[in-house]
Amino acid sequence: MPAAPATSDDHKKEGNELFAKGDFLRAAAAYTRGIKAAPDSHVLYSNRAQAFLRLHKVGKALEDADRCIALAPDFVKGYHRKASALHALGEPARSEEAAELLLGAIERGMEDRELVRLGVTVGGKAFAARLDAFRKAAAPVAPEEGDKPAAPPPPAKKAAPPSAAAKEAPPIAAAAAKGPTEQSLSEGLGEQLPWEAPPEDFAAGCLQPILKR
């Protein structure tokens, strides 16, 4: 029974083992076989770029790094490979381009020690100063005491509901609502209103409540 064809992962594993041994040419060949099996593998392009850099094939390394970034724009190693290839060209303008590439990747959120270390190697103190300025500008600023918003006023207290005793209090009797003088005069004069009675009866009606006391 024939053996199953090797997969892209098989070729990548083989290439990694050869690279670890320092056999960069055969490692690059293994990565190439992996790319043929998986043309959209950004990791294989990144690995082959690194192998080409060790073989001093800078142009090919730069091409693979560009392809890696195109396939995976957030893959950190793609920027590391490209910046390394640009710097390896030995031209000051290309080294400046490499520093700009690394700083741009970091500003987009790809903070990585290897990118920073390579940036310092490529751009020196100028790169370190620009990175420091970017970090300070991006750091959140704590609000000053005077900038604190005023505390909202406390909520208004609700009026207390009437007590149960007040709700159940009986109405005042109609007789109690009358003044004592009016009530006493009415009792002394019967159904007749006080000012309608003859003078002598009115006087007697006024005296009657006093005599009852």
Side-chain angles (χ1 to χ4, degrees), residues 6-174:
T7 65
S8 62
D9 287 339
D10 294 331
H11 295 305
K12 182 177 70 173
K13 182 178 178 181
E14 180 189 2
N16 291 345
E17 291 173 352
L18 291 168
F19 189 95
K21 294 176 181 178
D23 194 346
F24 305 123
L25 182 59
R26 292 178 63 195
Y31 295 138
T32 299
R33 290 192 292 272
I35 289 171
K36 289 180 179 179
D40 294 332
S41 174
H42 63 280
V43 174
L44 286 170
Y45 279 104
S46 171
N47 290 1
R48 192 172 70 172
Q50 183 72 347
F52 282 146
L53 281 170
R54 295 299 182 91
L55 294 169
H56 304 288
K57 295 183 178 182
V58 180
K60 290 184 176 295
L62 189 57
E63 290 177 3
D64 276 0
D66 280 332
R67 181 59 179 160
C68 174
I69 292 173
L71 290 170
D74 295 330
F75 187 58
V76 172
K77 287 185 178 180
Y79 296 90
H80 192 282
R81 303 289 186 255
K82 182 172 182 177
S84 297
L86 288 170
H87 183 57
L89 291 172
E91 301 172 10
R94 287 306 184 97
S95 293
E96 178 62 25
E97 183 182 347
E100 290 290 338
L101 176 73
L102 295 169
L103 190 62
I106 292 170
E107 288 177 353
R108 289 196 300 274
M110 286 176 276
E111 184 81 24
D112 183 81
R113 287 184 179 181
E114 292 301 319
L115 293 185
V116 173
R117 187 178 302 167
L118 180 59
V120 173
T121 301
V122 170
K125 293 181 179 180
F127 179 89
R130 291 179 61 184
L131 180 59
D132 185 58
F134 163 73
R135 286 174 173 171
K136 287 180 179 178
V141 179
E144 297 182 4
E145 291 295 328
D147 296 338
K148 291 183 179 179
K157 293 183 179 180
K158 294 183 179 179
S163 62
K167 288 181 180 179
E168 298 176 2
I172 301 174

Side-chain angles (χ1 to χ4, degrees), residues 175-197:
K178 290 184 179 181
T181 305
E182 183 183 350
Q183 184 179 359
S184 303
L185 290 175
S186 299
E187 290 175 355
L189 297 175
E191 298 298 326
Q192 205 172 25
L193 295 174
W195 53 85
E196 294 177 350

